[in-house]
């Protein structure tokens, strides 16, 4: 019977079926692209070529579908589609904004830093330092050091400015048994008692040795270097342990900690920093050569932070921060899904190991670890100069790489360490070092879990003891 609505020849029915098929094909094409760029590294190698063909077909179909839509669309339909796209973008923008806010609390790389104003925490930290009520005090060369004779929350600083209560003779009774330990809060032993820092464990493991704890909370590699030059050399000793926690790569090139860690209440202060100019390293002095300059920072933060920003890696690296939450989210997801690596696999091209250098959303983000990043180059240049100076002083340096909780999680998931370019550099230079992450994996195997290693964000006493044991082993201390 003609006109039967159930007849297969009904044009409306055909149109509906074709529309559903087209929608299904578009969804399938998008799914193929998501798998290719987000999960190709997990696909068996035998399926690479089929995946490549599927990607070509998917891209071709999507282009075809868009062209067909545009050809058939009227002017009003195009305008309506553009309005819908803008609305969808607005909704996606809000979703990405929420994502950035939530992730900023979990991942430092997603933090949005206001470089024009001091946070309440930073103001209180600066004022406490000026009032003598902070664990640290101003130091023109180093930036800050621990306040001699100060104690707080189970942390003691001796009258000599060292962690703990032990008083050491300035001249080493036996230089072969004195070890200088220089680094940040992991060296200092933050979040654990005086008897649980790794230098204290070292003294217990090898009686008769002296482990001089020159760690500075909130410090970085340039401060470690200046701490050695100003305060370390006088202690003599045969060995210098240069402890470097991976998150500190940003501190090496940062002029003021408040610019990258605005809520760091203890040390929102200025410091010496590394800079690369035409491939040459310079360790720039502390921007605040007078303690009174902090009064000006509190009174006029916008002007002072602008001055510090112009000195900072933000400026001299010639990189721009991306503030758009959509671009930041997409960049973050691309990186977390190893997008560059998957693209290499898809195109069948040789993999450099680090992918192309992209400054990314944030100069202080993950791109900082790329071998071509000026920040990375500044870090390794400081390591080389620091190491050479210790050798020239007739001492034996040992670089110790300390992992963050995120590094441990990556290792437990079987992922490559973010600091592998640093390891390659140290190997190429022949510097003596060890990566404590390897030691932790050797000790815990498939049971590796940050919960067992850290108090909050710093090593617990057990982990510090394991670290001291490895240092004793590497240095062959007796």
């Amino acid at each position: 019977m003609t006109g039967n609505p159930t007849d297969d020849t009904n044009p409306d029915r055909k149109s509906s079926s074709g529309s559903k098929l087209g929608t299904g094909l578009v969804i399938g094409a998008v799914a193929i692209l998501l798998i290719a760029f987000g999960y190709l590294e997990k696909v068996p190698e035998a399926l690479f070529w089929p995946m490549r063909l599927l990607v070509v077909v998917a891209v071709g179909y999507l282009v075809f579908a868009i062209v067909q839509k545009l050809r058939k669309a009227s002017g009003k339909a195009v305008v309506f589609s553009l309005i819908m796209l803008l609305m969808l973008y607005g909704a996606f923008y809000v979703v990405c904004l929420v994502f950035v806010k939530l992730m900023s609390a979990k991942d430092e790389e997603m933090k949005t830093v206001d470089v024009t104003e001091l946070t309440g925490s930073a103001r209180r930290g600066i004022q406490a330092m000026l009032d003598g009520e902070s664990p640290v005090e101003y130091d023109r060369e180093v930036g800050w050091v621990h306040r001699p004779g100060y104690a707080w929350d189970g942390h003691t600083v001796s009258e000599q400015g060292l962690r703990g209560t032990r008083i050491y003779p300035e001249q080493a009774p036996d230089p072969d048994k004195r070890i200088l330990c220089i680094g940040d809060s992991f060296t200092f032993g933050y979040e654990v008692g005086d008897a649980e820092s790794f230098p204290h464990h070292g003294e217990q493991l090898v009686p008769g040795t002296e482990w001089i704890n020159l760690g500075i909370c909130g410090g970085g590699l340039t401060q470690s270097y200046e701490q050695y030059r100003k305060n370390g050399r006088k202690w003599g000793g045969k060995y210098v342990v240069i402890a470097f926690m991976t998150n500190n790569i940003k501190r090496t090139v940062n002029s003021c900690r408040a610019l990258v860690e605005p809520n760091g209440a203890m040390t929102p202060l200025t410091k010496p920093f590394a800079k690369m100019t035409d491939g040459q390293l310079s360790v720039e002095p502390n921007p605040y050569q007078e303690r009174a300059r902090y009064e000006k920072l509190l009174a006029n933060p916008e002007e002072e932070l602008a001055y510090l920003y112009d000195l900072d890696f933000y400026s001299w690296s010639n990189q721009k921060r991306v503030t758009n939450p959509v671009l930041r989210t997409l960049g973050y997801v691309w990186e977390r899904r190893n997008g560059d690596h998957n693209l290499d696999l898809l195109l069948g091209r040789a993999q450099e190991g680090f992918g192309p250098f992209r400054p990314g959303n944030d100069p202080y983000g993950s791109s900082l670890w790329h071998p071509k990043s000026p920040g990375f180059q500044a870090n390794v240049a400081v390591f080389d100069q620091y190491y050479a100076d210790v050798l020239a002083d007739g001492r034996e340096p040992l670089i110790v790489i300390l992992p963050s909780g995120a590094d441990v999680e990556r290792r437990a998931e079987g992922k490559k360490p973010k600091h592998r370019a640093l390891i390659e550099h140290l190997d190429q230079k022949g510097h003596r070092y060890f990566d404590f992450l390897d030691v932790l994996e050797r000790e815990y195997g498939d049971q590796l879990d940050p919960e067992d290693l850290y108090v909050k964000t710093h090593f617990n006493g057990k982990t510090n003891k394991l670290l001291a044991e490895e240092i004793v082993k590497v240095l062959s201390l007796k």
Side-chain angles (χ1 to χ4, degrees), residues 26-296:
V26 168
I27 293 173
V30 171
I32 289 170
L33 294 180
L34 289 176
I35 292 171
F37 292 109
Y39 299 92
L40 188 60
E41 63 181 346
K42 297 183 179 180
V43 172
E45 191 171 347
L47 297 179
F48 280 2
W49 271 109
M51 279 299 299
R52 289 167 185 155
L53 292 173
L54 284 173
V55 167
V56 171
V57 172
V59 171
Y61 179 77
L62 288 174
V63 171
F64 170 78
I66 291 171
V67 171
Q68 287 294 99
K69 283 285 185 182
L70 290 175
R71 285 179 61 189
K72 295 179 181 180
S74 64
K76 290 183 178 180
V78 171
V79 172
F80 178 75
S81 296
L82 289 174
I83 293 173
M84 289 300 296
L85 284 174
L86 287 173
M87 292 178 65
L88 286 173
Y89 176 78
F92 189 53
Y93 185 97
V94 172
V95 170
C96 290
L97 187 63
V98 172
F99 176 81
V100 170
K101 291 287 186 183
L102 293 175
M103 287 305 299
S104 64
K106 298 181 179 181
D107 193 328
E108 284 192 351
E109 292 181 14
M110 290 297 282
K111 283 184 178 178
T112 301
V113 179
D114 182 357
V115 294
T116 64
E117 186 56 80
L118 290 171
T119 65
S121 295
R123 282 184 167 277
R124 289 190 293 273
I126 294 170
Q127 193 62 60
M129 183 273 292
L130 292 173
D131 294 342
E133 298 174 355
S134 167
V136 299
E137 64 181 9
Y138 170 80
D139 186 280
R140 178 179 295 175
E141 290 76 27
V142 183
W144 62 86
V145 293
H146 281 285
R147 190 179 302 278
Y150 193 91
W152 84 104
D153 298 335
H155 308 84
T156 305
V157 181
S158 73
E159 293 297 334
Q160 295 175 310
L162 309 175
R163 173 69 194 272
T165 57
R166 182 175 177 179
I167 300 298
Y168 300 87
E170 191 165 307
Q171 291 296 116
D174 184 350
D176 288 352
K177 293 188 175 182
R178 177 166 283 186
I179 303 95
L180 307 187
C181 303
I182 312 180
D184 68 347
S185 50
F186 277 72
T187 301
F188 179 84
Y190 190 61
E191 294 181 347
V192 295
D194 296 341
E196 296 179 288
S197 69
F198 82 76
H200 187 275
H201 278 298
E203 291 183 338
Q204 306 309 305
L205 290 167
V206 189
T209 57
E210 298 174 310
W211 296 52
I212 309 297
N213 190 335
L214 288 155
I216 303 174
C217 288
L221 186 60
T222 40
Q223 287 172 283
S224 172
Y225 179 47
E226 294 297 339
Q227 173 80 322
Y228 170 73
R229 295 174 66 188
K230 180 180 181 180
N231 301 314
R233 282 176 167 149
K234 69 182 181 182
W235 290 103
K238 181 178 180 180
Y239 305 102
V240 178
V241 174
I242 304 169
F244 178 81
M245 194 272 189
T246 57
N247 283 352
N248 291 350
I249 187 171
K250 63 177 68 174
R251 297 181 187 176
T252 305
V253 293
N254 167 240
S255 64
C256 176
R257 196 171 176 209
L259 291 176
V260 292
E261 298 173 68
N263 293 314
M266 188 190 300
T267 56
L269 311 173
T270 65
K271 50 194 272 309
F273 60 97
K275 180 179 179 180
M276 297 296 286
T277 307
D278 297 326
Q280 297 298 313
L281 169 72
S282 61
V283 177
E284 300 295 309
N286 179 10
Y288 281 7
Q289 289 290 293
E290 296 179 357
R291 181 175 176 273
R293 187 72 181 265
Y294 282 104
E295 298 282 3
K296 187 176 181 182

Side-chain angles (χ1 to χ4, degrees), residues 127 287 302 379 391 437:
Q127 193 62 60
E302 186 171 353
N379 269 270
L391 286 175
L437 188 57

